Amino acid sequence: MKVKLKVKRSNPETGDSSYSKYEIETENSVTLLDALIQVREYEDGTLALRCSCRSAICGSCSMRVDGRARLACRAKVIALTRDNPEHEIVVEPMGNMPVIKDLVNDMESFWSKMRQVDPYIKPEGPTPEAEFRVPNEAMIDLTHVMNCIMCGACVSDCTVLEVDKNFIAPAALAKAYRATADPRDDHEHDRLEKLSEYGGIWDCTRCNMCVEVCPKGVAPMNRIMQLREMALEAGIKGNAGARHTGIFTKSIEDGGRLNEIWMVPGSVGMFNVPRMMKEMPGALKMLRAGKLPIGQVIPPGFPGSHKMHGMDRVRNVVRKSASLKPVKAEVKAHDA
Amino acid sequence: MTLKYAFWPGCVSKGAAPELYLATKRVAQELDLELHELDQATCTGAGVLQEQNPEMGDALNARTFALAQQMGMPLMNICSTCQGIESMVQDKLTKRPEYLAKVNAILADEGLHYTPGLEIKNFLWVLVEDIGLDKIKSLVKRPLTGLRVGPFYGCYILRPSSILGKEEHPDRDHYLEMVIEAVGATVVDYEGSKKCCGFPILTVNRENSLKQAGNHIHEAQDLGADALVSPCPLCHLNLDAQQPAAKEVTKHEIDLPILHLPQMIGLALGVPPNEMRLDHHVVSTKKLLAKLPEMAVR
Ligand code: SF4
Ligand code: SF4
Ligand code: FES
């Protein structure tokens, strides 16, 4: 089949960047990586790219393909062209990380964030005589994260990292979950406290981009959500993220629906005067546009607060839903 | 033929975005949709409740599904976030029958029961799949010719694609573009259209949140957009209500009207702008309406 490629070329030394177009003949069965290697071997020896295993194991060949990060060796050209032989496959280096040349990124920030979360299991106390025994369920839960091949695709497309380089970002946060949730680790509380700071778990917008692009089903965002749940359970609530989910939940328990007026003060802290002042101009504009729901001025939980019709039935469901919670086996490894 | 839906308006259209609620009801008349409002249903949890208590979210959403099933109609929402959470809960309940049985045992107290298989659709999907683009084209009274509109989807109606029916409907990620074209406007193709508006972290990290919103608006405006259109009222809050703040944080010279999807459809179907409260946005829509002389606010 005919394959049309439009490849972003960059040379940071000269600061030049442009697109090169290639048209090649290949077998129907080839991957994008095969096609790029063919280009490098037969069309243009100056094209730089990174690869090793060619079978979605080593994590070297991540790049942006038609706007989304993925492994070039896992993408079949025939699927990318979607039955349209004229479709030009756009190939670019990963985002959010500097480019060394063409399709090769500098992964240093990826690794430094991995180191930042202290990705080692650190048991304390006496070492068991034989092996550490861990419950099956705990390890099954961790298999997603253990599948990570450090390809960087999730980091490339993370939407928060685009605006804030300090965000620890999906891959390292998923790795943090791996260590924190491991029954052999004894630093859960410190870890969760650190992760609840700026740049950590509460800075994620839950945009699902990392879940979408991860080739290995790690679903980093879901691990971040698990970390949030763990942090709340551990009582680490002195931050805006925890307060936000707290007031939100209360609003639903109390009135069945979201009480929007109280979300901001409830999250940033009622007496956080400088931060509340920042909200004032916006709030006034909304008020003027008729966009502040005045029917909700009484905060959730106070007498007279806004409630939907049939709240007693809702409360019944709320109360009984506690029975749906999975019974957590005591998973401390050394007790085994 | 009249299409009937159990209608879940979501909290935001009943709170900070009343214009969305009005526009939806008004446009439903033009499109011959019968919307039966689920006034007993609760918030989907928007992913926030789920951080603290996913099980409560499952039970409350299952209850909403059961209420719709009791009415014998598919469920329609007008919020990308509602769609995402509802699809996620539905997926979980379908894949875990024993868990579903426990949920149903709770619902039984009020005589409700949820059987997997309920159709749950955002208004955007209803437009393309149930009404059809040809029908919409035939109903257009004021083609939005010359108007340049950027799509803004909202994360949850796009991702994770594994739970959003993309196998059956592979074009769902292109519907906004298709609808913009169907009403005669021109699509502005910009990178931000499928990214995050930043709203979920507005109270956690205001700077980052507003940078996200401001950057997308700026990019689209730079490419000549007259407006953005979104099926998600939470995106609307960050893109419209927070736009002045986003301007301050990003220092981008932005001033771009943001339309709720039903408002854009309404404009094309000849609904007077004031009946969809286009005058109740934080960013004025006057500039936009002036481009369509016969539709200027009366
Ligand atoms: S869900 Fe969170 S971590 Fe994942 S890409 Fe979005 S912002 Fe980044
Ligand atoms: S989480 Fe997935 S996308 Fe991110 S580095 Fe690991 S394998 Fe790659
Ligand atoms: S070459 Fe190893 S993952 Fe693609």
Side-chain angles (χ1 to χ4, degrees), chain A residues 15-191:
Chain A
D16 296 341
S17 100
S18 59
Y19 286 85
S20 300
K21 294 192 177 192
Y22 307 102
E23 198 174 310
I24 55 170
E25 268 306 316
T26 69
E27 299 293 324
N28 281 352
S29 58
V30 305
T31 65
L32 176 63
L33 181 61
D34 297 328
L36 289 168
I37 290 175
Q38 186 176 331
V39 167
R40 190 181 61 186
E41 301 297 306
Y42 301 104
E43 312 274 331
D44 182 351
T46 66
L47 176 66
L49 57 103
R50 211 183 241 150
C51 64
S52 174
C53 71
R54 303 191 189 191
S55 40
I57 295 168
C58 74
S60 310
C61 67
S62 291
M63 51 189 77
R64 272 207 178 132
V65 183
D66 289 333
R68 286 283 171 271
R70 55 193 302 176
L71 298 176
C73 70
R74 201 169 179 261
K76 295 267 188 209
V77 285
I78 196 153
L80 293 172
T81 51
R82 277 192 278 147
D83 302 326
N84 172 10
E86 293 311 311
H87 174 80
E88 204 172 49
I89 305 171
V90 181
V91 189
E92 295 164 312
M94 285 190 284
N96 285 329
M97 285 166 277
V99 177
I100 296 175
K101 185 172 186 289
D102 300 341
L103 302 175
V104 180
N105 289 86
D106 178 353
M107 303 273 292
E108 177 43 36
S109 60
F110 179 94
W111 297 113
S112 68
K113 282 175 180 166
M114 278 290 165
R115 291 189 289 269
Q116 187 185 336
V117 301
D118 202 9
Y120 315 102
I121 301 162
K122 301 207 288 195
E124 298 293 337
T127 321
E129 258 172 49
E131 71 277 13
F132 278 104
R133 293 229 202 109
V134 291
N136 237 348
E137 318 85 76
M139 293 328 274
I140 290 169
D141 176 55
L142 288 172
T143 48
H144 308 280
V145 213
M146 290 194 281
N147 285 337
C148 174
I149 56 172
M150 311 273 187
C151 68
C154 58
V155 170
S156 158
D157 287 15
C158 172
T159 59
V160 167
L161 198 59
E162 270 180 17
V163 294
D164 188 351
K165 293 295 162 223
N166 293 322
F167 181 45
I168 301 175
L173 287 172
K175 191 59 78 187
Y177 177 75
R178 199 256 166 274
T180 313
D182 192 295
R184 290 162 293 186
D185 184 76
D186 280 318
H187 293 266
E188 182 178 318
H189 202 271
D190 323 338
R191 286 180 191 277

Side-chain angles (χ1 to χ4, degrees), chain B residues 8-74:
Chain B
W8 166 241
C11 306
V12 184
S13 88
K14 293 291 218 166
E19 70 280 3
L20 169 61
Y21 182 76
L22 285 176
T24 306
K25 300 278 274 194
R26 186 63 187 79
V27 168
Q29 289 170 16
E30 303 293 321
L31 294 171
D32 202 11
L33 306 180
E34 219 177 271
L35 303 183
H36 299 264
E37 191 164 326
L38 287 161
D39 55 0
Q40 314 249 334
T42 53
C43 177
T44 63
V48 183
L49 167 67
Q50 281 76 4
E51 292 165 350
Q52 176 152 345
N53 197 335
E55 292 77 18
M56 193 204 292
D58 295 337
L60 290 175
N61 281 295
R63 180 172 174 274
T64 305
F65 303 164
L67 287 167
Q69 271 178 340
Q70 203 175 42
M71 293 158 71
M73 297 171 198

Side-chain angles (χ1 to χ4, degrees), chain A residues 159 162 164 202-203 206-207 212 228 245 253 256-258 260 275 289 291 308-309 313 316 320 325-326, chain B residues 12 15-16 19 40-43 46 48 51 55-56 109 156 159-161 195 202 204-205 208 212 280:
Chain A
T159 59
E162 270 180 17
D164 188 351
W202 296 102
D203 279 43
R206 291 185 275 111
C207 76
E212 191 70 17
R228 286 184 183 178
T245 175
E253 285 170 349
R257 303 248 169 114
L258 176 57
E260 288 152 320
R275 180 64 172 79
K291 292 175 73 70
M308 58 171 280
H309 189 58
R313 271 164 297 168
N316 181 51
K320 291 199 171 170
K325 289 238 167 247
Chain B
V12 184
E19 70 280 3
Q40 314 249 334
T42 53
C43 177
V48 183
E51 292 165 350
E55 292 77 18
M56 193 204 292
D109 286 358
Y156 291 119
R159 298 179 290 270
S161 49
K195 291 186 183 169
L202 183 63
V204 177
N205 192 326
N208 286 357
Q212 290 187 295
H280 276 68

Side-chain angles (χ1 to χ4, degrees), chain B residues 79-263:
Chain B
C79 170
S80 298
T81 306
C82 291
Q83 179 67 52
I85 303 302
E86 289 174 343
S87 293
M88 179 186 80
V89 173
Q90 192 179 36
D91 183 67
K92 182 169 171 188
L93 297 176
T94 308
K95 285 182 181 152
R96 296 173 53 185
E98 318 87 69
Y99 184 69
L100 173 62
K102 284 191 196 166
V103 173
N104 270 327
I106 297 173
L107 301 184
D109 286 358
E110 42 180 323
L112 290 172
H113 185 89
Y114 170 60
T115 316
L118 174 70
E119 240 190 309
I120 304 177
K121 287 188 173 182
N122 181 272
F123 178 62
L124 175 62
W125 297 353
V126 167
L127 282 175
V128 180
E129 292 162 11
D130 298 359
I131 300 171
L133 294 175
D134 289 334
K135 175 83 186 290
I136 294 170
K137 281 181 201 159
S138 75
L139 291 172
V140 168
K141 296 203 183 95
R142 291 174 185 137
L144 306 182
T145 318
L147 209 64
R148 296 175 54 82
V149 181
F152 198 92
Y153 280 87
C155 299
Y156 291 119
I157 202 170
L158 297 167
R159 298 179 290 270
S161 49
S162 56
I163 60 161
L164 290 165
K166 310 272 176 75
E167 263 158 37
E168 204 185 326
H169 305 283
D171 282 331
R172 279 187 172 172
D173 290 0
H174 307 285
Y175 283 1
L176 263 183
E177 285 85 345
M178 288 153 66
V179 170
I180 292 170
E181 279 170 1
V183 297
T186 307
V187 175
V188 176
D189 183 13
Y190 68 111
E191 275 188 24
S193 67
K194 293 188 168 75
K195 291 186 183 169
C196 181
C197 71
F199 184 76
I201 52 168
L202 183 63
T203 61
V204 177
N205 192 326
R206 185 171 183 268
E207 285 256 323
N208 286 357
S209 171
L210 295 175
K211 273 186 196 159
Q212 290 187 295
N215 289 350
H216 303 323
I217 296 166
H218 181 235
E219 190 201 353
Q221 191 177 286
D222 246 23
L223 291 167
D226 298 307
L228 298 183
V229 66
S230 179
C232 182
L234 293 171
C235 296
H236 194 274
L237 279 178
N238 232 32
L239 297 169
D240 173 66
Q242 296 294 335
Q243 194 176 126
K247 180 175 171 177
E248 213 169 279
V249 167
T250 58
K251 311 272 182 270
H252 292 316
E253 270 313 311
I254 45 175
D255 177 20
L256 190 63
I258 314 294
L259 297 176
H260 296 287
L261 177 60
Q263 288 177 325

